């Protein structure tokens, strides 16, 4: 058996996919279930590997194949080359389905002699010639590698000559001369189809093996990450004929609706046709329900087979079948592809039907795909004109009129118009424009650029860094990729994929389907990781709750200062020349902050809210220097002395705050070392808001988190500062206000000194975005725009480390932080906040790294819940849960 | 003995410094050497600590003091308050000398009664009154904390009234009325000097203890990092009188010349004076040689004592002495302060004299101080007007005419004028200006800014980031700190300290003194660490050799492209639109590079040269965008189509290359991933140069180093690239060209994956500057300008981590890299390049971290050689080598 390279259907099962291919293993399984599978055998993937190595099929394998053919002759009562000739199909079938990627030859065994035998045996000369025409065409293109166009042209010529519009209408004579024409064409090119059926078979098997290496198969494997060394099996099966007149047919059936998941068979069929006719789309197939009328017996058998297969495989099946003169045959079954929505619904239904366990339903949903259900998205059925691809900065699809100016976007958006704001990049002055636009497109900047961050914060679709397009601000046009989009032209952006689309593409709204809600609830029972959300506003907080977040793991305070009424106050605070002046503006901001915290913490009730104190560099709040200079010139012209004075101060401050590397500058805790009054203000607002809630009987739970800490001394200073504010507010409100104090671990040094930090910190939140930037020494904005894609193309990187956490590097820092932190403070709470927290593969890593929770954007909470559950289940059952 | 708090000189030795203070221990030691030390005793630092704790001298200690006084009475034959009264001095003395910081009371024991006794016993009323006047004045200011000015005013008044110009000229009567006046003044303020000598003594001891906490002592300890909890001892010693007429004197003697190190006594003395008269400078002392005439016997005793003490302490001594009526007494000795140059010469001489061992000479030189001997430096004797302090970016002092424009600096500098180029910051266009200027001052940028790097590369003094000054380019003036420096004004910059000085300050040239050369040779015998130099030019390489470098540990190739003939070619390469065009310009650069390497590697002969391939972002080679725009406008006006075309391309390229965080952008190995032809060119130039040298019989040894590697895949790709170029050049020259291949470890991820990197790397060079930036997440340019000083002021940081390596953070990465690298490749060569390599404390760390070598700028090679030797010696002998 060791050297056995061919297998009858009775000799294998679905578990032999690696050896027999998915198709062969499915046929074996079905055959053993007693389903009507035409007899056949499989040449294994081992044979393929030998073929690839040696360049020819070894004699021993060929002898096996010949013996199998003898067996087919016996069971069918027909002979290869005989008067009632045995005809076979030769089909590819890899362990992992690669639909349409490799080759197939049908009707093999025909030649000038056997075609006559077939005609006699079936009493249907036209049918026999149709089979012969098909065979020559397929053999020529697949085995002899001839161009297919010439054959299609000859068919078209023949149809035109005979005044018919479909090849089924070509009569016996027409087909006979088409065969002559085919053979003549081949002859002219010095090629011929061999007469000997065995020679045909050998060449066809080798051709299928070779097709593993064709360019489209390579491309498919690269995209779908199918290993290159699997090889394909070959299925040799006695033919059944869907093309034997109108009493025959061929079709495809899904056991459930692959778009909606509805439990009802779904599919289509074509009368008088063979498989490739369905695929080629030359004729329009009929919906499967029609079969009930056309082929009542076969339909009954089909539906019964579908039920058997679904029950057996406990998954929706996609079946290929043929009806030959009313009799039903199955040619293939596999787990069917379906939409995300359908997958969710089916998993839920199957649990209800008792077909699968809850944990299996949880394991079946691709977490990543779930996010597509939550944002408005492009109608997948619509055809669209994609003009460029930018960075997918904030998910969702949206259409509107293009506007190049934030003020105009604000004005028109406020009036209710759908606007897409298009800018080279955005700055805090554009906040109102972004707020009132439906979506944002920038030609520069990465997925953490200002536009991206603000858009995500506002839940608006955005594309950033679309460098293929150039903005001509003077002409108010977006130019590049061969098109010009002018102001007011309609455009659609798909922030989930980065596609920039001309005109208004149809979108579909999303909401959490009920079935998904149930599956997520089941997931929560399995997961060990908590899933919190990043939320900066009451709206975000409510959404986080609705999507099942266990709390808010990151409440960023900077966006609170970006609002239209707050930015001017913030700016006055920044340009203040004395501490007293600064404190005056801070007092104004404090009232607003207190209200923010009161509402957010109130919504979350007894779930923890982790508030990160001010983090970004101050210049992010100021207009850009050239903009100030322009305003200054205007004020000078208008003789507006007061404005001039403030603008001059703003200019000096902006110049003083200018940084060489803003990412590595005056931000995070460093701000508080220089201006402690800012954190004091924030801490006071937090404690006052919390105190008020506690007095109202709410068990409010807040954590205060210090960003960018790299030294123990920084954390010490902040702990003192926060503690003293806390004492003052507790005294003022005469209320005990519990809180926890902790730090981000977002620069490598923090991981190194995590032990000492844990002495002062009740929790750590790993900031994997900044850790990635600092451990690699590349900023996201620069790397994504300039070289990460080249790294991925040259396979120096297999994944974008900003999307999937770098386990080797950043992971090592996390392990270090976890180990050193827990050693000093075993009860320390350990989480991760940032985009990686919403990436399923990264969530698996965070589970294995033994963190307590992940915190991601609200829309990705369901993704993370699923991924966390799957990680826990895999942990329990090993990686082969299915 | 446990509770003993007072000690006779016979009860201690120099080893009891911590308990007896440096002065007390020295007196004890001298007394036991048989030198003429007046009898006395010491109240220990333990007593001081008790006093500080309890606020008063405990009764038990006081009783001890009284017993010691009884002893003094016995040995001197005088009595406290007696007719021939015992007078004592009460002097402070901490374990670590803090000269002049704490208080002293002389002539204690006088009152209206004992002053008469003293007058009678000495037959010198004037002398007795002089002592009394001094005592009251000192007691009032030190113990009663009265302002000293009132007393000085009364003395001045008296001198004026008596028509004399020196207090020695005041006669008995004048002194008597002065005493009256002092007492009346005190009486008016409700204070008095107690009559009882014992009460005087108790109060004086307590006052000296209190003086440990006076503000100037605090400040001194902060600056000199003297621990706050040491406390001071008090020396109580029977008085000898330098003020007993012209036959008496008091003085200070250095056993060698503290400025030059020459072996000859050096010092001065004042006749008829007490200690404070020498210090106060009211009279001009005489040089010590004069004593030979004035006091022949005492001079002989003095010189003999000096020889004894220097032999005993094996170090230059600074002695205080008094001659009373011709008789010589020593009051203090300590290791004397001296100039760097003197220290070097003395250490060398003492080895020649057999006084100290070579290793001791090596241990005695402060490595940091040695660097001051190598750059032209400000004449320390000159008085200068410092107007501002910037960052010391490139050492050395230089004067010249201020110019605000690089072209003008070039033009006038080329013509031989001494120019200081002053710019807000510099860019590659300024290179010629910097080249022809004597020194550079920028108001922005850190010590790794363009100006700093280029200036250091050229060996020009530079100050950067001098933010106290503002440049008004329109008015061509430097404004701030209350001054305005106009174009052509003379200015001096001291790049060693960051001092900006008005006018032309005198400087002194430096060269490696012979004595230092010998000591460095001895150091080389002790050190384990190799010391290499960073050198980018043949001049640097020669200097490195001259200063004793073991090789070139970092040869940066980017500066080679900055030269006036090369920059234009480099720019054309960068703006090339096709690979072919790029290669054409690279071919031009290749010739120049080959010549560079041929010369540098040739100079180093068989010492290794480690060449780092191109590292900085390409935009550093292009002019700034506004500058291009200006040139473009000019070209347009002039109708120069060709220029316009090139400038337009430059502009587009510069815009495309613009980065958000240049430090974290497209640089290092990333350049070679995108444009492999650049590294190919460099490798070819290196191998061709090396091959030529080998054919000339030179055993050239080169290492090729890849910068900014963070992934194994990057190093793999580079290894292949270099190997294939190497094979081609070996074939072309038909010569075997040995080389080593390795990587920088300069981002945290490289340290984490050091094991895998070591599989491909024959050496690692730790780039501690970038490691510091990335582990802390702050860029040097931003941090030094914006917040590091606040961190140091608030003691959140004790040292600038860019100057002294951060052992806890960066050190952890180095340990990780060393351990993981050696585990995989035990013979791997491990070094560190960058500024830390020239910092003595950091060199100690690198020694302990078991690196193979450090590589610093040529001028710091002697510093590193010394530090490396000291680290090795400390390792061998523990930290108490002296």
């Amino acid at each position: 058996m060791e050297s056995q390279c061919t297998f009858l259907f009775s000799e294998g099962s679905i578990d032999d996919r690696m050896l027999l291919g998915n198709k062969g293993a499915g046929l074996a399984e079905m055959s053993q279930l007693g389903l009507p599978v035409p007899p056949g055998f499989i040449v294994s993937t081992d044979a393929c590997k030998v073929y690839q190595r040696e360049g020819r099929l070894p004699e021993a394998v060929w002898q096996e194949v010949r013996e199998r053919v003898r067996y087919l002759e016996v069971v069918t009562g027909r002979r290869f080359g005989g008067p009632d000739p045995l005809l076979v199909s030769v089909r590819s079938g890899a362990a992992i389905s690669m639909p349409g990627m490799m080759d197939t030859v049908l009707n093999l065994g025909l030649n000038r002699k056997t075609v006559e035998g077939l005609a006699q045996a079936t009493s249907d000369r036209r049918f026999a010639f149709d089979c012969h025409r098909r065979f020559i065409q397929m053999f020529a293109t697949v085995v002899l590698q001839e161009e297919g166009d010439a054959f299609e042209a000859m068919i078209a010529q023949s149809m035109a000559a005979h005044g018919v519009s479909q090849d089924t209408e070509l009569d016996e004579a027409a087909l006979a001369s088409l065969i002559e024409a085919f053979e003549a064409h081949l002859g002219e090119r010095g090629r011929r189809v061999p007469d000997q059926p065995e020679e045909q078979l050998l060449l066809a098997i080798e051709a299928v093996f070779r097709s593993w290496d064709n360019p489209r198969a390579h491309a498919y494997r690269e995209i779908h990450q199918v290993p290159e060394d699997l090889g394909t099996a070959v299925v040799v099966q006695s033919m059944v004929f869907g093309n034997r007149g109108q009493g025959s047919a061929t079709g495809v059936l899904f056991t459930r609706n692959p778009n909606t998941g509805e439990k009802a068979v779904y599919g289509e069929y074509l009368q008088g046709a063979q498989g490739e006719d369905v695929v080629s789309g030359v004729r329009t197939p009929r919906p499967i329900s029609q079969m009930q009328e056309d082929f009542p017996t076969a339909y009954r058998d089909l539906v019964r087979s579908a039920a058997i297969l679904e029950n057996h495989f406990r998954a929706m099946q996609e079946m290929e079948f043929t009806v030959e003169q009313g009799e039903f045959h199955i040619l293939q079954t596999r787990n069917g592809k379906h939409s995300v929505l359908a997958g969710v619904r089916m998993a839920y239904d199957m649990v209800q039907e008792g077909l699968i366990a809850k944990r299996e339903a949880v394991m079946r949903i691709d977490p990543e795909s779930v996010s597509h259900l939550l944002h408005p998205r492009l109608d997948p059925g619509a055809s669209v004109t994609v003009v460029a691809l930018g960075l997918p900065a904030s998910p969702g699809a949206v259409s509107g009129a293009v506007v190049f100016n934030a003020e105009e976007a604000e004005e028109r958006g406020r009036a209710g118009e759908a606007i897409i704001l298009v800018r080279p990049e955005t700055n805090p002055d554009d906040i109102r424009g972004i707020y009132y636009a439906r979506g944002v497109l920038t030609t520069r900047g990465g997925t953490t650029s200002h536009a991206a961050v603000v858009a995500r914060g506002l839940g608006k679709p955005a594309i950033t860094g679309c460098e293929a397009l150039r903005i001509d601000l003077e002409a108010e046009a977006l130019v590049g990729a061969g098109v010009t989009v002018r102001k007011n032209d309609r455009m659609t952006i798909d922030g989930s994929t980065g596609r920039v689309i001309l005109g208004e593409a149809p979108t579909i709204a999303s909401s959490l389907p009920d079935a998904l809600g149930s599956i997520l609830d089941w997931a929560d029972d399995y997961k060990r990781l908590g899933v919190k959300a990043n939320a900066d506003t009451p709206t975000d907080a409510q959404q986080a709750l609705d999507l099942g977040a266990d709390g808010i793991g990151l409440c960023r305070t900077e966006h609170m200062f970006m609002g239209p009424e707050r930015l001017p106050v913030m700016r006055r605070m920044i340009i203040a020349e004395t501490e007293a002046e600064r404190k005056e503006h801070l007092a104004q901001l404090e009232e607003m902050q207190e209200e923010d915290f009161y509402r957010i913490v109130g919504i979350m009730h007894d779930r923890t809210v982790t508030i990160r104190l001010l983090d970004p560099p101050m210049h992010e709040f100021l207009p850009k220097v050239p903009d100030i200079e322009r305003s200054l010139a205007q004020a000078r012209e208008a003789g507006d002395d007061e404005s001039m004075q403030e603008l001059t101060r703003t200019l000096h401050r902006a110049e003083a705050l200018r940084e060489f590397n803003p990412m590595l500058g005056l931000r995070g805790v460093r701000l508080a070392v220089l201006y402690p009054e800012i954190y004091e203000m924030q801490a006071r607002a937090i404690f006052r808001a919390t105190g008020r809630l506690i007095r109202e009987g709410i068990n409010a739970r807040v954590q205060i988190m210090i960003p960018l800490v790299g030294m123990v001394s920084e954390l010490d200073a902040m702990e003192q500062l926060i503690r003293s504010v806390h004492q003052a507010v507790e005294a003022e409100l005469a209320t005990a206000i519990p809180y926890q104090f902790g730090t981000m671990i977002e620069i490598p040094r923090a991981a190194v000194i995590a032990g000492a930090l844990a002495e002062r910190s009740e929790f750590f939140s790993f900031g994997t975005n900044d850790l990635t930037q600092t451990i690699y020494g590349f900023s996201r904005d620069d790397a994504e725009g300039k070289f990460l894609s080249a790294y991925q193309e040259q396979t120096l990187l297999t994944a974008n480390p900003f999307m999937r956490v770098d386990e080797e590097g950043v992971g090592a820092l996390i392990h270090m932080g976890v180990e050193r932190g827990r050693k000093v403070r075993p009860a320390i709470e350990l989480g991760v906040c940032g985009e990686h927290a919403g990436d399923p593969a990264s969530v698996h890593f965070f589970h294995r790294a033994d963190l307590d929770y992940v915190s991601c954007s609200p829309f990705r909470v369901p993704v993370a819940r699923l991924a966390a559950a799957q990680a826990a289940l895999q942990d329990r059952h090993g990686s082969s849960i299915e």
Side-chain angles (χ1 to χ4, degrees), chain A residues 51-223:
Chain A
Y51 174 81
Q52 287 168 341
R53 211 164 43 237
E54 302 185 358
R56 54 184 296 278
L57 203 65
E59 189 53 28
V61 177
W62 176 238
Q63 288 311 326
E64 271 189 60
V65 170
R66 293 183 66 186
E67 272 170 46
R68 299 307 187 180
V69 171
R70 294 294 89 78
Y71 163 82
L72 282 191
E73 290 175 338
V74 172
V75 295
T76 59
R78 298 193 176 97
R79 276 208 306 117
F80 237 14
D84 180 2
L86 169 68
L87 301 188
V88 296
S89 61
V90 179
R91 292 186 292 165
S92 61
I96 292 163
S97 269
M98 297 166 52
M101 291 303 120
M102 290 177 301
D103 291 329
T104 287
V105 179
L106 303 180
N107 309 305
L108 185 140
L110 283 174
N111 55 33
R112 293 216 162 210
K113 205 181 88 202
T114 55
V115 74
E116 293 297 340
L118 182 63
Q120 249 176 325
T122 58
S123 312
D124 190 343
R125 262 185 101 71
R126 190 206 162 275
F127 158 70
F129 285 180
D130 186 48
C131 289
H132 198 195
R133 186 274 298 170
R134 289 171 185 272
F135 170 61
I136 294 171
Q137 191 175 350
M138 287 182 111
F139 195 94
T141 53
V142 169
V143 182
L144 305 180
Q145 303 267 327
E146 290 293 309
E147 291 284 341
D149 294 351
F151 297 96
E152 293 299 340
M154 287 183 267
I155 295 171
Q157 210 172 5
S158 173
M159 292 198 294
H162 293 82
V164 301
S165 65
Q166 297 197 344
D167 67 288
T168 46
E169 295 171 275
L170 291 174
D171 64 11
E172 187 187 313
L175 289 170
S177 35
L178 205 48
I179 290 167
E180 301 263 348
F182 281 10
E183 287 180 335
H185 170 73
L186 286 175
E188 275 166 29
R189 303 179 42 79
R191 315 301 303 261
R192 62 183 297 275
V193 177
D195 286 336
Q196 261 299 322
E198 287 203 347
E199 193 182 347
Q200 293 172 359
L201 181 59
L202 175 61
L203 293 176
I205 290 172
E206 291 187 336
V208 171
F209 281 160
R210 274 199 304 277
S211 71
W212 175 260
D213 277 319
N214 74 36
R216 65 172 187 269
H218 269 299
Y220 183 95
R221 289 195 294 272
E222 198 178 310
I223 292 165

Side-chain angles (χ1 to χ4, degrees), chain A residues 697-768:
Chain A
I698 289 172
N699 179 21
R701 295 172 59 196
V702 293
Q703 295 185 322
I704 292 186
M705 179 157 76
I706 310 297
L708 216 69
V709 168
M711 314 171 203
V712 174
S713 57
E714 289 171 329
L715 201 58
D716 275 341
M718 293 305 119
E719 207 231 332
Q720 270 178 37
L721 179 152
I722 302 294
R723 196 179 334 115
S724 89
V725 173
H726 180 251
Q727 284 167 353
V729 177
E730 278 198 335
E732 173 192 301
L733 300 190
T735 303
I737 305 169
Y739 77 105
Q740 291 192 304
F741 177 80
T743 180
M744 295 282 295
I745 302 283
E746 55 185 333
I747 51 174
R749 200 173 190 281
V752 171
I753 62 166
L757 294 177
E759 283 170 23
R760 285 97 175 153
S761 217
E762 293 170 276
F763 62 90
F764 284 165
S765 182
F766 290 94
T768 50

Side-chain angles (χ1 to χ4, degrees), chain A residues 625-688:
Chain A
V625 167
D627 294 338
I628 310 172
E629 284 171 342
R630 207 173 311 118
S631 306
L632 192 56
Q634 284 165 359
R636 189 174 292 125
E637 217 155 286
D640 181 348
D641 282 351
E642 202 175 321
S643 289
M644 269 177 68
Q645 203 181 342
E646 180 163 330
L647 283 164
T648 306
R649 273 168 65 179
T650 308
L651 183 63
H652 287 164
R653 194 82 180 108
E655 277 172 346
L657 287 172
R658 190 155 67 95
E659 295 185 304
F660 295 94
N661 297 284
M663 152 82 207
L664 302 178
L666 178 54
R667 43 178 288 246
V669 66
R670 297 161 198 165
L671 287 169
V673 170
L674 263 66
Y675 311 108
E677 53 276 14
I678 299 178
Y679 278 17
E680 275 164 15
M681 175 281 272
Q682 295 197 295
R684 208 154 38 231
I686 292 168
F687 291 132
R688 284 196 180 138

Side-chain angles (χ1 to χ4, degrees), chain A residues 44 53 83 89 145 217 283 301 369 393 402 409 419 440 494 526 576 593 637 648 657 668 718 741 766 790 817 819 859:
Chain A
S44 74
R53 211 164 43 237
S89 61
Q145 303 267 327
R283 284 186 282 153
D301 289 349
S369 69
V402 169
I419 297 295
V440 184
D494 180 3
Y526 298 119
Q593 282 258 288
E637 217 155 286
T648 306
L657 287 172
M718 293 305 119
F741 177 80
F766 290 94
E819 190 194 309
F859 279 124

